[in-house]
Amino acid sequence: MNQHIFTSDLFGPWVQCFKMQGSGNDFVLLDNRELRLAPSEMAGWARAVCRKAFGMGADGLIFLDKSHDRADVDYFWHFFNADGSRAEMCGNGSRCAARLAFELGLAGKEHALGTDAGPIKAEVFPEQDLAKVQLTPARDLQLNIALTLEEQAFNVHFVNTGVPHLVVFVPDVQSVNIPELGPRFRYHPRFAPGGANVNFVQIVDSGNLLLRTYERGVEGETFACGTGAAASALISHALAHTGVHVQVKTSGQDLLGITIDNDSLFLTGKAMLVFVANLNLRALGLVLPTQP
Ligand SMILES: N[C@@H](CCC[C@H](N)C(=O)O)C(=O)O
């Protein structure tokens, strides 16, 4: 039996996990090099572990895995939203993964993480509790899309910064009714079948944005969304509202730094290990995989 997976007569088996947060976007991380779950088993684990009250509660579950001999990355991940949907990428999650990979000795301070969206270059600054990632090149940029929601006209923008994002500029982000508006944009037929994350953005000045994000797969507002912050800064820059360096204040009141350097997009912010814990699989209705 592995040192991080052990059985207790009373409750077990238990699996060690790491609870992290990147600017308030919270994740549970598991080391799948030891656990060896098959990808087909992971969605169920995400739903059980991320469930509030019954599980640990989190926006997503991340499995760190071997690089499987890929020369371009140091390790690979499997990222799942709280509802069990697999996402190609997560900006804040990748910063947390990079920090943990460094702390576990899986990779150096500068390394590359393999995601479904492509390799992500990461740099960890442990003394400042910061991690920086270079996102995949932005694609599918569409500015000024006219959308009608129940006879109300909106001008929205779209870009994929690893995952799909809608950006809606508003005069006062605090007054947006996100529980009502978020799902209506997220499920708009124009973005079917996958839908999109929805970012409501208030421009403060040429270097600062306020952002609230309704996230796909969490199906609610999160305290921060990294790829959403990058999408907002990129579109704001394309519309000449802001420059190439932008500070984005998210609902959790943390700052995410975005730098646009030609086709490269960088995301910097806090990545903190909150606690290390042991998950009781019996309580979660989960079982250990049958090891090959
Ligand atoms: N919070 C993440 C994005 C996670 C994936 C997203 N919910 C989706 O399914 O598209 C971030 O920090 O980028």
Side-chain angles (χ1 to χ4, degrees):
M1 189 62 71
N2 193 290
Q3 58 168 333
H4 294 138
I5 302 167
F6 58 91
T7 310
S8 141
D9 288 345
L10 193 54
F11 295 114
W14 303 80
V15 170
Q16 188 183 67
C17 74
F18 303 87
K19 177 75 192 300
M20 299 193 71
Q21 59 94 357
S23 302
N25 216 181
D26 67 334
F27 308 97
V28 177
L29 291 93
L30 296 171
D31 189 342
N32 202 46
R33 293 173 307 164
E34 298 181 353
L35 189 55
R36 287 193 257 164
L37 275 186
S40 59
E41 297 168 292
M42 293 175 178
W45 277 60
R47 282 190 291 272
V49 173
C50 296
R51 192 175 173 203
K52 284 187 185 136
F54 292 90
M56 188 172 274
D59 296 327
L61 180 60
I62 296 171
F63 295 89
L64 298 184
D65 223 327
K66 293 180 191 139
S67 61
H68 298 296
D69 298 330
R70 281 177 49 169
D72 57 342
V73 297
D74 293 279
Y75 59 101
F76 192 81
W77 82 356
H78 305 267
F79 179 91
F80 290 85
N81 287 309
D83 72 355
S85 57
R86 185 173 179 124
E88 301 89 325
M89 176 50 190
C90 172
N92 292 329
S94 64
R95 296 188 306 94
C96 290
R99 175 85 198 260
L100 185 64
F102 167 70
E103 302 294 350
L104 294 179
L106 185 58
K109 279 188 183 168
E110 285 185 59
H111 63 255
L113 150 69
T115 73
D116 295 356
I120 299 293
K121 284 190 199 153
E123 189 171 357
V124 179
F125 306 90
E127 295 79 14
Q128 289 110 307
D129 287 318
L130 290 174
K132 176 179 176 182
V133 288
Q134 179 176 359
L135 302 177
T136 48
R139 58 185 174 85
D140 307 334
L141 175 67
Q142 297 167 57
L143 299 177
N144 299 310
I145 306 165
L147 279 193
T148 307
L149 290 179
E150 289 169 22
E151 293 176 16
Q152 204 182 340
F154 289 91
N155 182 42
V156 306
H157 316 277
F158 179 91
V159 71
N160 187 315
T161 50
V163 286
H165 284 281
L166 276 183
V167 172
V168 189
F169 289 99
V170 293
D172 173 18
V173 80
Q174 291 316 326
S175 66
V176 177
N177 185 345
I178 294 197
E180 195 217 310
L181 266 186
R184 287 164 65 200
F185 280 113
R186 185 246 182 278
Y187 290 106
H188 194 281
R190 161 102 191 214
F191 307 103
N197 301 284
V198 188
N199 302 278
F200 298 94
V201 185
Q202 180 182 337
I203 300 158
V204 178
D205 57 36
S206 62
N208 290 281
L209 298 174
L210 300 179
L211 170 64
R212 291 174 67 195
T213 306
Y214 180 94
E215 271 199 57
R216 196 176 72 148
V218 178
E219 303 309 330
E221 182 177 5
T222 53
F223 281 130
C225 177
T227 51
S232 303
L234 190 80
I235 286 173
S236 182
H237 177 254
L239 294 170
H241 296 316
T242 43
V244 291
H245 298 291
V246 178
Q247 297 269 41
V248 181
K249 191 186 260 192
T250 59
S251 349
Q253 303 303 303
D254 253 15
L255 290 176
L256 286 169
I258 308 293
T259 297
I260 303 163
D261 183 1
N262 297 310
D263 286 343
S264 302
L265 200 48
F266 298 91
L267 164 71
T268 308
K270 292 273 182 199
M272 313 283 285
L273 176 61
V274 183
F275 58 85
V276 182
N278 292 313
L279 293 171
N280 176 6
L281 298 194
R282 207 170 99 197
L284 297 170
L286 298 170
V287 289
L288 283 174
T290 318
Q291 307 271 326

